[in-house]
Amino acid sequence: MASTETGTEEAGGGSAPAAAEEAVALEKAAGERDLSGLEAGLDALETVTVGRAPVGQLLLKKVLPPLSAIALVLVVWQLASWGKVADPTKLPSPSAVGQALSDRWNSGDLLTIIWTSVERGLLGFLAALVIGTPLGLLVARVSFVRAAIGPILSGLQSLPSVAWVPAAVIWLGINDSSMYAVILLGAVPSIANGLVSGIDQVPPLYLRAGRTIGATGLRGAWYILLPAALPGYVAGLKQGWAFSWRSLMAAELIASSPDLGVGLGRYLENMREGSDMAGVFLGILLILFVGIAIDQIIFSPLERWVLRTRGLSARSQ
């Protein structure tokens, strides 16, 4: 009887450590499951959800706010006109500007005026793109070139484009060449600096990986640098277009010749010379509208696409 109790106690003493080890193992497994669940949750939080919003939601978020702002400006403008805040010859009413737009449309030259400036602006921007892209690559990758002309590019970017108009007219005459020269001097520094900024933010690991697979020189620039620097490059293009448009308007305002035709800048100056404030306001609004339209049609979708494909923006497009 005594030997049986002793055997039972020994058997119980042998199973207790095993049970304790099993309990520890179960607790450890439960802890690992909790950590894995926590990591999965963090990964889910960091995951960028990319998807297109419904058309109704897109209109509500993208179209309604600017339309509301425009409506508010028109209301304030019309109230100021009714309240005679300023002389009507200095502050025309929205209806007077609308009448000027209708008259210009009926005269049949409105689209010609707009296209004259848009064509010059886009051609000048494309030329600036061709020059600014290799220049930005050189400045970003060649230290001597960067030290030599990097500060000059930054200085040129801050120089008002209108300062180049007298020089361009003297050098090239009052013709399209001087218009394009002013556009280039305004847009090339922005495009080059945008690319330099984008390349500066490329992780060195990408460059080492590129060299490992043989992507050096032009192949490295095409397959590694430009794709990796695309967000900064596109931002530079967007800014370059803004500088192109501003430069062109400054050149058209100052330079006048029958050979140049009538663009938006020349139309604005013609209205000023005729003291037609409704026409002046119409010219300003058309310049603003075209600049915004080109940005919204070309550059903003391109920028959103680049950011979305890199997971840098979670906004639904």
Side-chain angles (χ1 to χ4, degrees):
M1 185 65 181
S3 62
T4 303
E5 290 175 355
T6 304
T8 304
E9 289 174 358
E10 289 176 352
S15 62
E21 290 176 359
E22 184 178 357
V24 170
L26 290 174
E27 185 177 353
K28 183 178 180 181
E32 290 177 350
R33 284 197 300 273
D34 292 341
L35 288 177
S36 61
L38 178 60
E39 291 173 355
L42 292 175
D43 291 341
L45 288 175
E46 292 176 354
T47 301
V48 177
T49 302
V50 178
R52 290 195 172 276
V55 176
Q57 186 178 356
L58 189 64
L59 292 176
L60 187 64
K61 288 185 176 179
K62 300 294 183 183
V63 179
L64 184 60
L67 288 181
S68 301
I70 293 173
L72 178 62
V73 170
L74 289 176
V75 168
V76 173
W77 183 2
Q78 186 62 58
L79 290 175
S81 177
W82 283 338
K84 299 187 183 303
V85 174
D87 191 303
T89 59
K90 297 181 179 178
L91 181 64
S93 65
S95 59
V97 177
Q99 185 60 46
L101 175 63
S102 176
D103 294 342
R104 186 56 56 186
W105 176 264
N106 292 330
S107 67
D109 61 352
L110 178 62
L111 295 181
T112 302
I113 293 172
I114 294 175
W115 178 245
T116 298
S117 293
V118 170
E119 183 182 26
R120 281 187 189 136
L122 291 177
L123 290 177
F125 173 78
L126 290 176
L129 181 66
V130 172
I131 297 173
T133 300
L135 181 62
L137 281 172
L138 279 176
V139 173
R141 300 302 297 164
V142 181
S143 58
F144 177 80
V145 176
R146 184 170 194 146
I149 66 173
I152 298 176
L153 282 178
S154 299
L156 287 176
Q157 189 174 356
S158 61
L159 181 68
S161 304
V162 68
W164 288 109
V165 178
V169 169
I170 293 174
W171 289 336
L172 303 170
I174 304 178
N175 49 39
D176 281 329
S177 298
S178 60
M179 301 288 112
Y180 293 128
V182 175
I183 293 174
L184 290 176
L185 290 167
V188 167
S190 297
I191 296 174
N193 282 330
L195 183 55
V196 171
S197 177
I199 291 177
D200 287 345
Q201 298 176 26
V202 174
L205 179 62
Y206 290 10
L207 304 180
R208 290 198 296 271
R211 285 194 293 270
T212 302
I213 61 176
T216 58
L218 292 179
R219 288 172 59 85
W222 181 254
Y223 290 106
I224 305 296
L225 280 179
L226 285 177
L230 205 51
Y233 183 45
V234 171
L237 295 182
K238 193 173 181 179
Q239 192 176 39
W241 162 250
F243 276 83
S244 296
W245 190 239
R246 292 179 192 175
S247 304
L248 176 61
M249 291 301 104
E252 287 186 350
L253 274 169
I254 295 176
S256 174
S257 170
D259 295 336
L260 289 174
V262 178
L264 284 171
R266 178 49 25 194
Y267 168 77
L268 179 60
E269 180 63 11
N270 289 342
M271 294 300 102
R272 185 199 66 79
E273 292 174 353
S275 298
D276 184 351
M277 278 306 293
V280 168
F281 268 71
L282 176 60
I284 294 172
L285 293 176
L286 288 175
I287 292 171
L288 178 65
F289 173 78
V290 172
I292 293 175
I294 297 294
D295 179 83
Q296 292 297 313
I297 292 172
I298 299 176
F299 296 103
S300 289
L302 177 62
E303 184 179 39
R304 287 196 295 268
W305 176 77
V306 169
L307 294 177
R308 189 171 62 243
T309 54
R310 282 158 174 75
L312 297 176
S313 175
R315 292 176 299 175
S316 299
Q317 308 299 330

